[in-house]
Amino acid sequence: DVKVTQSSRYLVKRTGEKVFLECVQDMDHENMFWYRQDPGLGLRLIYFSYDVKMKEKGDIPEGYSVSREKKERFSLILESASTNQTSMYLCASSFPDLEGTDTQYFGPGTRLTVL
Amino acid sequence: AQTVTQSQPEMSVQEAETVTLSCTYDTSESDYYLFWYKQPPSRQMILVIRQEAYKQQNATENRFSVNFQKAAKSFSLKISDSQLGDAAMYFCAYRKTSGSRLTFGEGTQLTVNP
């Protein structure tokens, strides 16, 4: 089974702090994704990566950056956390299967609160 | 840009009954994939069912089935013989054939009453 893990389930930070959210997958997937989940808005894509050191902006990249130095690890960075970044953050990974459907597998999520 | 809409923020069903969750989407593509994901309380999101747009036959996975109406751009999920473990947030998602990005709907919170 695919396993996607995230470094923290709950995180509380202060406004202005630099925040790192880590995601690790154990299935050698090429694609990795960061989403934020807010009530009534569903999941919105922040950034994704299709290979080591490769990244592409999603729908809401402002205020975030990412790093992918190793294939299994994808980090989301909040350079200067703000209260409007309080949210649930979900990581996912994927690889095209034999049917080409490229199913995404999700981590448990990190609930970040910025005070 | 593609959009996905789930017009039912909350639904409830009695145990053993059948419930249908609605999803509509907008795209100019002719070939794409559609998905239903389930997010149980405090647990990881998992794939429930997927449908390739070029396939006319509706996908089925045990008690879960879809009603895919391509012309109407509708993709509803039917859960038969509902169980307490089906209680979760359900998300509908769309993906173009080329590329890996998913576009999600707002989600429907399903409650199963004993």
Side-chain angles (χ1 to χ4, degrees):
Chain A
D1 280 353
V2 176
K3 191 162 186 182
V4 181
T5 56
Q6 295 183 229
S7 50
S8 306
R9 291 300 301 270
Y10 300 94
L11 208 52
V12 179
K13 295 292 182 181
R14 297 279 181 191
T15 301
E17 280 192 77
K18 190 169 186 176
V19 181
F20 293 86
L21 303 183
E22 304 284 338
C23 176
V24 177
Q25 50 95 1
D26 67 354
M27 283 300 291
D28 203 36
H29 283 177
E30 294 183 350
N31 303 321
M32 296 188 75
F33 308 81
W34 275 107
Y35 297 90
R36 63 176 282 174
Q37 179 181 357
D38 299 289
L41 297 178
L43 278 72
R44 293 178 291 166
L45 182 65
I46 304 171
Y47 268 98
F48 72 99
S49 169
Y50 48 91
D51 202 349
V52 175
K53 296 189 186 294
M54 307 301 286
K55 61 185 179 184
E56 195 165 315
K57 292 181 180 179
D59 299 317
I60 51 166
E62 297 78 18
Y64 304 94
S65 63
V66 291
S67 172
R68 194 165 179 203
E69 297 296 319
K70 292 184 178 181
K71 192 173 186 179
E72 67 270 19
R73 187 179 298 269
F74 191 35
S75 302
L76 180 69
I77 303 156
L78 287 65
E79 295 289 342
S80 178
S82 63
T83 55
N84 63 13
Q85 292 178 311
T86 292
S87 188
M88 170 71 86
Y89 290 87
L90 296 177
C91 175
S93 71
S94 75
F95 184 81
D97 56 27
L98 292 176
E99 296 176 336
T101 50
D102 204 0
T103 299
Q104 291 191 18
Y105 297 87
F106 286 82
T110 296
R111 186 165 294 282
L112 173 66
T113 302
V114 182
L115 302 175
Chain B
Q2 293 79 24
T3 58
V4 178
T5 302
Q6 295 177 247
S7 58
Q8 306 154 317
E10 297 177 346
M11 291 282 285
S12 64
V13 64
Q14 291 296 127
E15 198 175 1
E17 297 291 308
T18 296
V19 65
T20 299
L21 308 185
S22 300
C23 173
T24 58
Y25 58 94
D26 187 28
T27 183
S28 58
E29 304 287 328
S30 60
D31 199 14
Y32 45 86
Y33 294 97
L34 294 164
F35 305 84
W36 278 99
Y37 277 88
K38 170 186 178 181
Q39 186 181 41
S42 302
R43 293 175 59 189
Q44 284 168 253
M45 186 130 66
I46 57 172
L47 178 68
V48 175
I49 199 165
R50 63 190 179 201
Q51 173 82 41
E52 293 92 333
Y54 67 88
K55 289 186 177 179
Q56 293 185 339
Q57 187 173 5
N58 289 326
T60 299
E61 289 287 344
N62 300 314
R63 296 182 296 107
F64 298 87
S65 62
V66 298
N67 183 6
F68 173 49
Q69 302 286 330
K70 191 172 184 180
K73 296 181 181 175
S74 171
F75 182 61
S76 60
L77 175 70
K78 185 171 84 171
I79 306 174
S80 303
D81 185 25
S82 297
Q83 300 175 0
L84 295 178
D86 295 333
M89 179 73 84
Y90 286 82
F91 291 98
C92 178
Y94 164 99
R95 184 176 75 79
K96 289 198 295 187
T97 302
S98 59
S100 302
R101 296 176 60 154
L102 286 175
T103 300
F104 284 87
E106 303 90 338
T108 297
Q109 182 69 54
L110 178 67
T111 301
V112 181
N113 300 308

